[in-house]
Each structure stands twice: as structure tokens, then as C-alpha cells.
Amino acid sequence: MHFKDHILQGAPYQQALWMGGEITPTIVVLHDTASPLQPGNAAAYLADNQAKVSVHFVVERDGTITQQVPVNRRANHAGQSSFNGRSGCNGFSIGIEIVNPGRMTRAGAGKAKGWWGETFSIEDMGVEEITTAEHGHGLWMGYPQAQLAAVFGLLGALFAEVTTLSDITTHWYVSPGRKVDTNPLFPLEAMRAKILGRDDPADLMAEGSSIPENDPTAYVEIDAGGDTLNMRRWPSFNPNVLVAIPDGTAVPVLRRGVFDNRAWLKVRYAGQEGWVVARYTAAVCIA
Ligand SMILES: [Zn+2]
């Protein structure tokens, strides 16, 4: 696959009504359409609506891809959002909408119901009832192999052509508490691992923007006013909590850095390494 003028050749192009100015995309944000499944239904809405929404690509259940905004132009897909300390993801991301019903509810024996009232066979459509911290409870429809293969192929083409891209994320990650797409059945980490390789770019960013603590006796005590303190995989407030550290616990400091104007420490607790906000810690002397 090749891009000409930042449009994917070979895929149908359908110009969206809402297209913004030039951007330099650094991440891809994946979405579910939360819509009926008929081919072209979500794509038609995303191309032309009064809600001022748009997206770069729509991937149908059969794997058909439609492009609607050039990848170097802004589309309105993420709304209020932030990624690892940078807010307003529409200004630096490529959006991909994957046709899927989104969160469904139970509708009698063996049926799940989309928000617009249509019901689906739980057995025939690969629907599962799942609760996660990020999504809450719901009935969720699995993604067909043809659709996942198309998303994978599109990501591969984008990362080959758009050299500024460094990571793949989801709407629930950049808009926590507000959005639940993609659904819990989407194989995000498997796809990230395949496209991004072994080195996680978020890990590299955190390591590259911090300095190691070389003193093995450098410890801090969690000082959270009686609360626990979240230890996070990366130094950001996206949904990435590894474990809550009890108040008063002394932990070794591994790295120090400032991210989004806030001081963070990388520490070790309960056999894991992760980041805590420095202001909820106090230096202690381990004799
Ligand atoms: Zn979304």
C-alpha cells in the first residue's frame, strides 16, 4: 500500500465534511463506531453529519477500509483527550473507526441489544459479557478476523509511511471515564507488540526523559495523607495503574523525571517497577 498526498491508494476515498488544518501525527487512536453493522452505515455518518465529527479511516466488519481525511489533516474523532501528558489528541493523531456495536445490554434469552434497539444473537455474533476497570460492565461483540486483519494491515501501512508515528492507543485510554472504545475484546496489546516491536515507545519516552538514581540507598516514604498512592506503568494519569502503595511504605527510587510540569519518581514495590507522583512522597534515610 502506498500514500499519495497522504491518501491511502487502493482504498476508497470519501471526503469528510469536517476536516481541519495540517497536523503532524504521532499516535493512532482506535475507536469503535458504536453503530449498526450494515456496510457503509457508519462511514456515511462520519463523512457527513451535523455533530462535527470525522475520522481518517473506517474499517468495516468485512475488512473494507474507507479513508475520509488525509492523514496529515486534523479530524474530529477524540474530543477532550490526553495522551501521556499531551492534551487534545485530534491535533496529533490519526483516527481509525472500527465498525462495532459498542456496549450492549442483555435483551432476553440469548440476545444482546445495541443502544439503538437492534438485537443480536449472543452465540452467533461472538458476544461476551465482560467487566473491566476501564470499560465497566457490558455485553461486547467480538471483532471478525477479516476486520482485525484489515486494522493490522492499515496500521502496518501507516507506520511504514508516516515516520512521525510512535504509538497506538484507544479512545478509552485517552478519554478515561468518558469513553469505552475500543471494547474489551479488541487485542490491543497483541497489535501494539506486532506493530511496535519489542521496545514499548512509552517506556522509551519515560526512560529518555528521566535520569537514573545511582544511589542505592535513595528511598522515599509514601506520604499520601492516609491514602494509598497509585504506582503507574508510565508517568501519566491515563488508565495505567499497576498497584496502590500503602501510605507510609518506604520504596527505593530508581529514576527521577519531570513530565507535563510534574515531578515523578520511578520506584520498586511488590516486585514491580513503576512511577509515582513525587509530591506524595518524602525522602527517608535508610541506615
Ligand atoms: Zn471513540
Side-chain angles (χ1 to χ4, degrees):
M1 287 187 277
H2 294 282
F3 290 95
K4 190 183 178 190
D5 299 332
H6 305 273
I7 290 172
L8 185 69
Q9 290 196 324
Y13 187 80
Q14 176 184 29
Q15 178 65 58
L17 182 61
W18 305 103
M19 183 174 87
E22 190 159 358
I23 62 166
T24 300
T26 58
I27 60 171
V28 174
V29 179
L30 301 172
H31 301 262
D32 288 339
T33 54
S35 71
L37 306 181
Q38 285 77 15
N41 177 291
Y45 173 78
L46 288 160
D48 185 0
N49 58 75
Q50 293 309 308
K52 300 191 177 180
V53 298
S54 57
V55 74
H56 296 90
F57 296 96
V58 182
V59 181
E60 306 284 354
R61 303 227 334 142
D62 69 0
T64 303
I65 298 169
T66 304
Q67 185 171 3
Q68 301 190 329
V69 173
V71 298
N72 59 323
R73 300 289 293 263
R74 180 188 175 101
N76 298 343
H77 54 96
Q80 190 181 358
S81 54
S82 73
F83 181 76
N84 295 347
R86 193 174 172 195
S87 63
C89 293
N90 288 339
F92 58 95
S93 68
I94 294 172
I96 299 177
E97 288 276 0
I98 305 168
V99 174
N100 186 277
R103 187 202 306 277
M104 296 187 287
T105 53
R106 215 165 257 290
K111 296 274 188 190
K113 186 169 72 176
W115 65 266
W116 64 96
E118 185 177 357
T119 61
F120 300 94
S121 163
I122 286 174
E123 194 179 335
D124 296 348
M125 299 302 284
V127 175
E128 292 185 36
E129 185 169 6
I130 298 173
T131 303
T132 76
E134 294 81 21
H135 299 81
H137 171 261
L139 276 71
W140 314 92
M141 187 180 291
Y143 302 84
Q145 264 320 311
Q147 192 177 33
L148 291 176
V151 173
F152 181 64
L154 177 56
L155 288 170
L158 288 170
F159 273 75
E161 291 287 331
V162 185
T163 55
T164 51
L165 286 175
S166 65
D167 210 344
I168 304 161
T169 189
T170 57
H171 207 182
W172 62 258
Y173 185 81
V174 299
S175 300
R178 194 171 72 78
K179 293 291 176 180
V180 298
D181 57 317
T182 53
N183 87 35
L185 295 169
F186 187 80
L188 174 66
E189 286 312 318
M191 219 165 266
R192 284 181 85 243
K194 278 187 191 165
I195 299 288
L196 305 174
R198 269 163 37 88
D199 291 332
D200 192 310
D203 287 338
L204 294 176
M205 183 278 293
E207 299 290 299
S209 305
S210 61
I211 54 166
E213 172 55 69
N214 293 318
D215 177 0
T217 68
Y219 273 66
V220 291
E221 190 174 283
I222 304 304
D223 183 12
D227 259 333
T228 58
L229 181 63
N230 285 330
M231 182 171 92
R232 296 171 173 276
R233 181 163 177 202
W234 300 300
S236 81
F237 294 106
N238 292 111
N240 61 7
V241 175
L242 294 170
V243 63
I245 308 178
D247 205 20
T249 308
V251 291
V253 177
L254 308 175
R255 301 187 76 86
R256 301 171 188 271
V258 175
F259 301 90
D260 201 23
N261 299 318
R262 190 177 277 108
W264 293 77
L265 303 175
K266 190 177 196 183
V267 300
R268 186 183 300 112
Y269 173 71
Q272 298 187 88
E273 295 180 0
W275 295 86
V276 297
V277 177
R279 64 174 285 222
Y280 299 115
T281 66
V284 289
C285 197
I286 301 289

